[in-house]
Amino acid sequence: MNMRRMLFIVIPLLFILNNAASFFIFQSGRTVQQSYNLMLDRVLLYKQIDEKTGENLRAMSVYIMDRSKQSLASYQNQNNELKRLQSSFAGQRALASTELTVRSFGHLLDTFVIQEQAVMDALSSRTPLAYAASYAEAEKTASFIQEEAYQLIDQELSYYQPFYRKILTQTEVMNVWGIAVFITNTLISVLFAYWISLRITRPIKELVNTAEQISAGNLQVAPPRMGPHDEFRILSEAFGQMQENLKQLILKEKEGLEKDRLVKELELEVLQNQINPHFLFNSLNVLSKLALIEGAERTSDLTVSMSNLLRYNLRQLDRPVPLRDEVEHAKEYFVIQQARFRERIRFETQIDDAGLDVLVPVLTLQPILENIFVHAIEGMEEGAVIRLAVQYSPDETRIAISDNGIGMSEEVRESLLHYDAERPHPREDKEKGHSTGLGTRNVFRRLELFYNRKHMIDIQSEQGKGTTVLIRIPASGKEEEHVSPTDRG
């Protein structure tokens, strides 16, 4: 269960529990208050009737003494108040235990009102003391009303005493439950707040620790594991994706640096073979013209080929070239080598022009051809054949360079294919076979970095039967936007 759902469940439960306890305590207090109010209303009514009865007698006595309009008006006000209280008393609902006393109290009140009216009627007669008997009866009834009022108050208090004790006991119990609920709610709230803080702070601490290790260079640290419904799972996955992106970025950066290093090696090795190239080109041109004047056309052609070969080798090595240029350069290189080997070798080509627009690194084919001349066919007296084939398909362009030389062992073949292994020192290459030190490993590695793909090279060889080097150039090599930034220059 995620934190959001837990909050939606626990917080309303705590709210309902707290409100329920508060409601029960409030309801209990309300019940006590209502019962107290009912009893108090009746007690006050009894007390008011008793007091108002005495006030009526006093007001009537004052009127009997002075017979003034003011005293009559005062009496009438008191009498009206008494009748209002009488009406309120008639609407009261009596307790079962006080029903007889209440009925008697009502009869006494009615009798007192009648007797007061009799006194007022007697005052209007011509007999001077006709009211005296009625007034005496009214006084006696008022005393009875006072006694009955006290009796009713005492009965009310006696009736409600056990009831109040019970309510007070229940109130105490509810107070205890209220305190218990308050303490429980407080503990649950504290524990819940602590749990929420852990659910928030613990993943954040783990993510911060992971970020610190990543910033320190440890990209192998595993991001914290989160549950499938955890809110921080997305952030943890983002950290993992960030690590993978950083690894890929560092890997690409290393490949770019390796590619730059290889290009710089090539430039350095070519620069080491440069001895005043402009002077060399001019000298070769002079030799070519002189040979042509003397009638040595073959020498002139060879000199021109040598000049073109050197010019191509001295071009910028960090820019890709069309495969067409590499094929022409390979042909020039073969012309020079054929001047050395003469009829001992034959150069065959099978070129699909549709595949010549693909971009390749500079000096891709010559080092492989040079390796064939040095290691494969140099010892052959006759019948040496070197073939260069270019086949085009929508997905890739296949370049095959084959010979019928001495072949190579499986150990040598594996060492060439695993060009990431440690290479021999360039000086050793030169001592072994007159090469310029460019090397097939260098070519294979540059192709891999150029296209950002592996397994582009395959070598098929059998000792005594020859070797075929197969290069697969992807179709994306035709598009400039797929060329690595390092190779664009």
Side-chain angles (χ1 to χ4, degrees), residues 194-221:
Y194 178 72
W195 176 77
I196 290 177
S197 66
L198 283 182
R199 286 288 300 270
I200 295 175
T201 58
R202 183 181 297 168
I204 291 177
K205 287 181 179 179
E206 292 177 352
L207 291 171
V208 168
N209 183 45
T210 303
E212 288 177 349
Q213 295 193 47
I214 292 175
S215 64
N218 181 14
L219 296 180
Q220 305 303 323
V221 60

Side-chain angles (χ1 to χ4, degrees), residues 390-413:
V390 177
Q391 295 179 347
Y392 171 78
S393 68
D395 296 330
E396 64 180 11
T397 299
R398 297 164 62 95
I399 304 172
I401 305 172
S402 60
D403 65 78
N404 60 346
I406 61 175
M408 64 179 70
S409 65
E410 184 64 22
E411 181 181 357
V412 174
R413 174 181 173 275

